[in-house]
Amino acid sequence: MSIRVDDHVSPPFPILSGTPQGSPLSPILSALYTSSLLEMAKSWMHSDLLLYIDNRAIFSVSATTGVATEKACVLYQMVLSWLRENGLRADPEKSKLMVFAKLRRKMHLTGAEILGAQYRDNANMN
């Protein structure tokens, strides 16, 4: 491991200890280390970033799902760049894009979309 402060990078040295899994120190260290990433996200319009230790979520809102999706992808690339520049990386296997959209079709009174399901009692059919 090396330590970097501004443009100075220390010679590599081995890590002989660390924080155990589930340590209460982990969220504190994570918050300190990623604070500049959260600061960067403050400038995002109609979008936000949520971080907790090694989990993160990017939220983006728009009038259309296409614009919101494009914006979320651009912000994801920004986060990936920040991670790379700071010696971290995202696991592509755990990265997902989820899109939530309000349906414009008429809803049933319950608020759920009716997809045309129909019950048939085959025992009474001749």
Side-chain angles (χ1 to χ4, degrees):
M1 175 172 161
S2 296
I3 296 177
R4 181 179 72 179
V5 177
D6 295 326
D7 293 331
H8 176 74
V9 179
S10 74
F13 58 90
I15 299 175
L16 302 175
S17 63
T19 57
Q21 179 73 22
S23 167
L25 188 57
S26 294
I28 296 166
L29 293 174
S30 176
L32 289 171
Y33 194 79
T34 58
S35 63
S36 64
L37 177 59
L38 289 171
E39 193 65 33
M40 178 183 78
K42 282 184 180 180
S43 66
W44 296 355
M45 296 293 292
H46 307 291
S47 300
D48 202 0
L49 176 66
L50 174 71
L51 299 175
Y52 183 72
I53 306 183
D54 63 347
N55 296 308
R56 55 205 140 282
I58 298 170
F59 300 94
S60 187
V61 219
S62 181
T64 67
T65 55
V67 171
T69 300
E70 286 177 30
K71 188 168 195 171
C73 289
V74 167
L75 297 174
Y76 178 63
Q77 290 301 320
M78 289 174 62
V79 169
L80 288 177
S81 292
W82 186 95
L83 291 172
R84 247 187 327 274
E85 291 167 9
N86 290 277
L88 301 172
R89 62 182 176 88
D91 183 353
E93 294 294 318
K94 295 182 180 178
S95 299
K96 306 282 184 257
L97 172 65
M98 293 189 291
V99 178
F100 299 93
K102 182 178 177 181
L103 294 174
R104 302 241 182 250
R105 293 181 240 153
K106 279 192 169 185
M107 298 289 193
H108 186 267
L109 292 176
T110 62
E113 181 182 9
I114 301 300
L115 299 174
Q118 184 178 11
Y119 173 76
R120 290 185 188 188
D121 186 356
N122 291 333
N124 291 331
M125 293 182 71
N126 293 341

